[in-house]
Amino acid sequence: MPELYSIDRSQVENINNNQSVNRLELLSEFKSIPLFKALDDEQLLKVLTRVHSISLASGRHLFHRGDHAEYFYMLRKGQIQLYLVSENGQEKVIDIIDPGQIFAEAVTFFEGQTYPVNAIAIQDSRLLAINMAGFRDILRESVDTCFSLLATMCKRLHIQLMEIDNLTLHNATYRLAWHLLNSIPEHSPVATHIALDYPKSVLASRLAIKPETLSRILARLRKDNIIDVKGHEIVLLDTDALRKLLNE
């Protein structure tokens, strides 16, 4: 297989030759991902024949902006940060990828197929690299599959547009409240614990807030007994008060 950018060949292995990867378990994981829900079992098995496993140490890049794109990815363990660097050298965090998420899949349909952002591991990570050409071949076999996939990607685009709206049209307090409320897991208790697996500076960049502004907002919400901050964890004490901030 071709070299995967800054990845050592020793870090890359075909899952079909990897006895530690349970293909049935992986098939079940793929079925839970919106992008793959449009595929039937036979199509998913075809995808798996062209999937490679990657180990990526914290601090290593998976790809850089402008690199030729042959794969999109599913994160199984760890955390990946997607970011851009401005002309003055300032980093802007685009997204934080958590286990179970896929990323760079839209590049599959780009003309020229180069990655538009940088991707770096911020924890030791384990990923699956999914061959874009093979995925496109499967889609060419079924018009119905293409339409189903298009509907899924449109829904994701709508969600991302809502996030852009929150980042550009609302103040910093609104953005933080919106982010915290959207981080609450289903069926959570009254006091919800949200783990910050990355520095607060990364959260600030992700929400387009200056780090010192984020610190002031957190301090104010803590003083008002809306949240509590314990190290790398934020405890939501009053979600109703957080929701009221969205209407102010």
Side-chain angles (χ1 to χ4, degrees):
M1 64 173 290
E3 294 284 357
L4 285 178
Y5 322 107
S6 60
I7 309 299
D8 295 335
R9 288 187 68 88
S10 61
Q11 294 176 293
V12 182
E13 54 188 332
N14 191 298
I15 64 164
N16 299 289
N17 301 325
N18 184 352
Q19 298 300 318
S20 65
V21 177
N22 185 318
R23 293 184 68 196
L24 290 178
E25 178 183 328
L26 198 55
L27 185 64
S28 178
E29 285 185 44
F30 273 30
K31 286 181 177 180
S32 68
I33 296 174
L35 182 69
F36 296 126
K37 285 184 177 179
L39 307 184
D40 58 29
D41 285 358
E42 182 180 350
Q43 291 170 324
L44 283 173
L45 287 172
K46 286 182 180 179
V47 172
L48 291 180
T49 62
R50 302 186 70 176
V51 168
H52 293 80
S53 179
I54 299 173
S55 296
L56 193 64
S58 179
R60 293 290 305 277
H61 275 86
L62 179 64
F63 54 77
H64 293 87
R65 183 182 185 184
D67 282 342
H68 176 64
E70 294 183 51
Y71 302 90
F72 63 93
Y73 302 91
M74 172 185 172
L75 183 62
R76 302 194 80 201
K77 177 183 178 183
Q79 211 163 45
I80 299 291
Q81 176 180 297
L82 305 182
Y83 72 97
L84 290 171
V85 180
S86 66
E87 291 183 0
N88 61 9
Q90 184 177 1
E91 284 191 7
K92 167 58 184 172
V93 177
I94 303 301
D95 203 359
I96 301 295
I97 306 300
D98 293 313
Q101 289 184 274
I102 62 167
F103 60 101
E105 73 280 9
V107 185
T108 303
F109 309 102
F110 286 4
E111 184 177 354
Q113 286 185 249
T114 60
Y115 294 111
V117 297
N118 307 290
I120 187 171
I122 54 178
Q123 294 180 9
D124 290 345
S125 299
R126 190 81 174 171
L127 309 97
L128 295 179
I130 301 146
N131 185 273
M132 292 180 179
F135 189 65
R136 287 195 302 271
D137 288 343
I138 290 171
L139 295 181
R140 289 189 182 99
E141 297 173 356
S142 171
V143 174
D144 290 339
T145 301
C146 289
F147 274 107
S148 180
L149 177 62
L150 182 61
T152 297
M153 297 190 77
C154 285
K155 289 179 183 177
R156 292 191 63 189
L157 178 60
H158 178 68
I159 293 171
Q160 290 172 337
L161 288 174
M162 289 178 61
E163 184 166 354
I164 291 172
D165 175 67
N166 286 324
L167 288 175
T168 56
L169 300 181
H170 300 286
N171 63 32
T173 301
Y174 180 103
R175 295 176 217 167
L176 177 60
W178 180 87
H179 175 78
L180 294 176
L181 289 170
N182 278 274
S183 299
I184 299 176
E186 293 184 8
H187 311 299
S188 61
V190 174
T192 300
H193 295 247
I194 298 174
L196 287 181
D197 297 324
Y198 42 84
K200 291 186 179 71
S201 59
V202 173
L203 175 61
S205 177
R206 189 178 184 184
L207 298 177
I209 302 172
K210 292 182 179 180
E212 57 270 25
T213 301
L214 176 63
S215 295
R216 286 197 297 269
I217 297 171
L218 289 172
R220 178 167 59 84
L221 295 180
R222 188 175 186 180
K223 181 180 178 181
D224 293 341
N225 292 318
I226 296 175
I227 68 168
D228 194 10
V229 181
K230 298 180 178 180
H232 293 289
E233 190 175 68
I234 296 178
V235 183
L236 307 188
L237 303 175
D238 191 343
T239 55
D240 288 337
L242 265 183
R243 292 188 178 92
K244 286 181 181 178
L245 291 175
L246 301 183
N247 297 319
E248 292 181 356

